[in-house]
Each structure stands twice: as structure tokens, then as C-alpha cells.
Amino acid sequence: MSLAPVKPAALGTTDRFLPVWILAAMALGLALAVFVPAFGDALHGFSVGSVSVPIAIGLLVMMYPVLAKVRYSDARAVAGDRKLLVSSLVMNWLVGPALMFALAWAFLPDLPEYRTGLIIVGLARCIAMVLIWNDLACGDREAAAFLVAVNSVFQVIAFSGLGWFYLQILPSWLGLATTSASFSLWAITLSVLVFLGIPLVAGYLSRRLGEATRGRTWYEGMFLPKVGPFALYGLLFTIVMLFALQGQQVIDRPLDVVRIALPLLVYFAVTFIVGFVLGKLIGLSYERTTTLAFTAAGNNFELAIAVAIGTFGATSGQALAGIVGPLIEVPVLVALVYVALWLRPRMFPAKDTRPIHPERPVADRV
């Protein structure tokens, strides 16, 4: 099949207007926060520990179809791609946190609470929405599932230690102000188990049982097209819930939100571009380069918000920084999906780029 750039005419209505749907979901959430404040109050009370049940439901619905589409037998081969694995670990656990630390201090030297919140966001590596952005941009689905699993393990092991390093040790070495913070290992583990563990197990069992009982042709030709659209529904629902829950804080402190948003915009753009260029330089295909870039650029906002609230309180500046994170990340990474598709034919020769499921439009790949 031709590898010409994706053109709007080739996409379905849902695909061409995807940014419109996302903006509409954001607007609906803000409207609920402003005009129906009782709705947000009710959502705030609907939590189990540090996990917001409505957002958890949205993320699970969003992630299940993507993980059900992964060919897990093929994913094993990804583990043998050392260039991808090493570059992903470097981007996620060295470049990402260090860049966020530098940006937080550069943009917010006089606002320690927001600065600390941003550093926490930089430590929470993405294990959820990145699968959506990767799929929309025609990334390697199996590689994304593998890297997300690796990030989850590292998150449980390394989050607390990195938090101590970036909030206490490194600032002390540089003669900067330090911040004391304690991180709950249970909150980190719970985030990984809920937002990755449940949909991963469900997706794996669907693939194994579906193929074992009805065959791969039925599973991929009949079952997956039926569950696929629920990823988009889950994404939009999650966005509405996020803005309904946190929108009032954003509206009440607009100037603070702008100051927090600026380093976040730089962070998302720089990590994506560095990941994309790195993938090209080390010889990865477009699909795996895209996966590398998106897994580096995304963040686990649920974990960041939970840690900030649990450590510093729901009304703290650290919590507001965590809240602004996903509100900026969603529209920016949607835009980067289109950037990746635009770069595809320009940076990767046709022989290095394989169309993924060309018979289906973008939204069906979600």
C-alpha cells in the first residue's frame, strides 16, 4: 500500500474531527465544574484510597481495546530489541526527570510548590494514555505494551528514590532550596496495578481465549472492530471527568495555570522531538521510533496527582501542578500525533515504514 502522507479525505468523520471531540470533552468538563459544582463535589467523594473511581473507569475502558489488540506472541520479540529498550529507559528515567527538573527551576524559581509539583509529574512515567497516542500515530502496538510494562516495574522500584534525589540531593549539590517529601510505595503500586494491571490482564486473556476458541481471523475481523470504538469513548469520558473534577481550580487561578503550563509545553515538545530524532539516529523503524517518542513524552498523571495530594494536600500548589499536567498533556499529545504522521513520509523511506492495519482508519486503531 502507498505510504503517502495521511490525508483528511482518507479518514472517517470521527478521525478528521478527533481534536474537535477532545476540545468538546474539555469544554463539557469545564462547564460542569463551573455551572454544576455539586457534580465535581460528588466525583471528589467517589474515590477508593487515592484512586478516583470515575477516572479509573474511563482509563480502563480506554485501555482495554488497545491491549486486546496487542499480539502478545509478537511482543516477546520486542524484548530482544536492545536499542529500543535501552533508549526508552534512558529517555524515561534519565532524560525525562532531568529535563523536568531543569524546566521547573528555570520557569518557576520563585514558586517552590508548583516547582515541586512539576518535578513529581516528571517522575511519573506514562502507563496509560500513551497507548492511545501511540496507536493513533501508527506506532508499534506490541513495543508500546512492552515498554509500558517495563516503565511500570521501574516506577514501583525507582519513583521514591528519584523523588528523594531530585527534591533533596541534587538541589543540595547545586546550592538550591530542598524539599522534604515522603512517597507512599502503596500509592505507586496501586496506580500501576489499577491503570495497567487490570486492562493488561483483560486484554491478554481476550486475545488468548478468543483465538483459542474462535481463531485469529474471527478475533481480529469480528471481535476487535466491535470493542475498538470504546477506546475513544473511554478517552473522552476520562477527559470530561478530569476537567469536571479539577476545572474549578484551573479557572480560579488562571495566571498560575499559565506559569505551570509553559514548562509543561516545553517538556512535552522537547521529549517527543528528542525521542523521535533518537529513534531515527539509532536506526529504528517509524513504528518503533513513534513508540519511543510517545512513551518518553507522556506522564502518569493519576500517580502524580495522587502523590501530590497525599503528600502535600488537595489544595496545595503541588497538587495544582499535578492537575494542570494532564490538562496540558492531552491537547499537546493529540497535536503530536499529527506531527508524527506528517513526519512519517518525510523522515522514513518507504522501505523502512510498514503501514499498520491500513484497512482501518485511525480511530479504529485506538
Side-chain angles (χ1 to χ4, degrees), residues 288-299:
R288 291 195 174 179
T289 294
T290 299
T291 298
L292 173 64
F294 276 107
T295 51
N299 291 87

Side-chain angles (χ1 to χ4, degrees), residues 208-285:
R208 290 297 301 270
L209 296 176
E211 289 189 357
T213 57
R214 303 291 294 272
R216 176 168 288 188
T217 300
W218 173 86
Y219 183 81
E220 295 188 347
M222 298 292 292
F223 179 74
L224 290 183
K226 291 181 179 179
V227 302
F230 284 92
L232 179 58
Y233 305 153
L235 172 63
L236 296 178
F237 176 82
T238 302
I239 292 170
V240 172
M241 293 299 102
L242 268 174
F243 276 74
L245 278 165
Q246 316 295 355
Q248 191 60 54
Q249 290 196 56
V250 173
I251 293 170
D252 290 342
R253 300 153 84 176
L255 294 180
D256 290 353
V257 169
V258 171
R259 290 203 60 181
I260 296 168
L262 290 176
L264 284 168
L265 287 170
V266 176
Y267 172 83
F268 293 132
V270 170
T271 50
F272 179 84
I273 292 170
V274 170
F276 210 89
V277 171
L278 176 61
K280 173 66 176 178
L281 290 177
I282 64 177
L284 298 179
S285 66

Side-chain angles (χ1 to χ4, degrees), residues 280-338:
K280 173 66 176 178
L281 290 177
I282 64 177
L284 298 179
S285 66
Y286 166 81
E287 291 78 18
R288 291 195 174 179
T289 294
T290 299
T291 298
L292 173 64
F294 276 107
T295 51
N299 291 87
N300 184 354
F301 61 82
E302 264 296 315
L303 174 60
I305 293 172
V307 168
I309 291 175
T311 304
F312 301 101
T315 61
S316 65
Q318 292 88 342
L320 179 62
I323 289 163
V324 174
L327 307 188
I328 301 300
E329 178 178 347
V330 169
V332 170
L333 292 191
V334 169
L336 290 175
V337 167
Y338 288 90

Side-chain angles (χ1 to χ4, degrees), residues 69-223:
K69 293 174 184 177
V70 173
R71 291 181 175 178
Y72 291 92
S73 57
D74 297 342
R76 297 170 188 161
V78 178
D81 190 340
R82 292 187 178 181
K83 290 189 294 185
L84 175 64
L85 178 58
V86 172
S87 58
S88 178
L89 290 175
V90 169
M91 287 296 301
N92 275 285
W93 298 103
L94 293 179
V95 175
L99 176 62
M100 187 67 90
F101 174 86
L103 291 173
W105 273 100
F107 282 85
L108 303 169
D110 57 328
L111 297 171
E113 290 190 358
Y114 297 156
R115 185 175 65 235
T116 298
L118 283 183
I119 292 171
I120 293 173
V121 170
L123 297 177
R125 313 313 301 166
C126 194
I127 62 172
M129 280 193 178
V130 67
L131 297 173
I132 294 289
W133 315 133
N134 178 74
D135 235 28
L136 283 170
C138 303
D140 188 316
R141 189 177 288 151
E142 286 70 35
F146 175 76
L147 293 181
V148 163
V150 170
N151 274 340
S152 300
V153 174
F154 266 77
Q155 202 147 250
V156 172
I157 295 173
F159 189 96
S160 297
L162 286 173
W164 172 70
F165 176 76
Y166 280 105
L167 295 176
Q168 289 273 319
I169 301 302
L170 185 56
S172 178
W173 288 349
L174 298 175
L176 303 172
T178 60
T179 302
S180 297
S182 59
F183 301 109
S184 167
L185 182 62
W186 169 241
I188 299 167
T189 304
L190 182 63
S191 173
V192 171
L193 290 176
V194 171
F195 300 122
L196 177 64
I198 293 175
L200 181 61
V201 170
Y204 175 78
L205 291 177
S206 295
R207 167 72 69 172
R208 290 297 301 270
L209 296 176
E211 289 189 357
T213 57
R214 303 291 294 272
R216 176 168 288 188
T217 300
W218 173 86
Y219 183 81
E220 295 188 347
M222 298 292 292
F223 179 74

Side-chain angles (χ1 to χ4, degrees), residues 27-40 43 240-241 243-244 248:
L28 176 58
L30 282 175
L32 289 171
V34 174
F35 298 110
V36 193
F39 182 78
L43 291 178
V240 172
M241 293 299 102
F243 276 74
Q248 191 60 54

Side-chain angles (χ1 to χ4, degrees), residues 16-85:
R16 285 186 283 119
F17 293 101
L18 179 62
V20 176
W21 309 142
I22 289 177
L23 288 174
M26 294 165 66
L28 176 58
L30 282 175
L32 289 171
V34 174
F35 298 110
V36 193
F39 182 78
D41 294 339
L43 291 178
H44 273 295
F46 198 23
S47 301
V48 176
S50 61
V51 176
S52 168
V53 173
I55 291 178
I57 292 172
L59 287 172
L60 295 179
V61 172
M62 176 188 75
M63 291 180 65
Y64 166 71
V66 180
L67 290 168
K69 293 174 184 177
V70 173
R71 291 181 175 178
Y72 291 92
S73 57
D74 297 342
R76 297 170 188 161
V78 178
D81 190 340
R82 292 187 178 181
K83 290 189 294 185
L84 175 64
L85 178 58

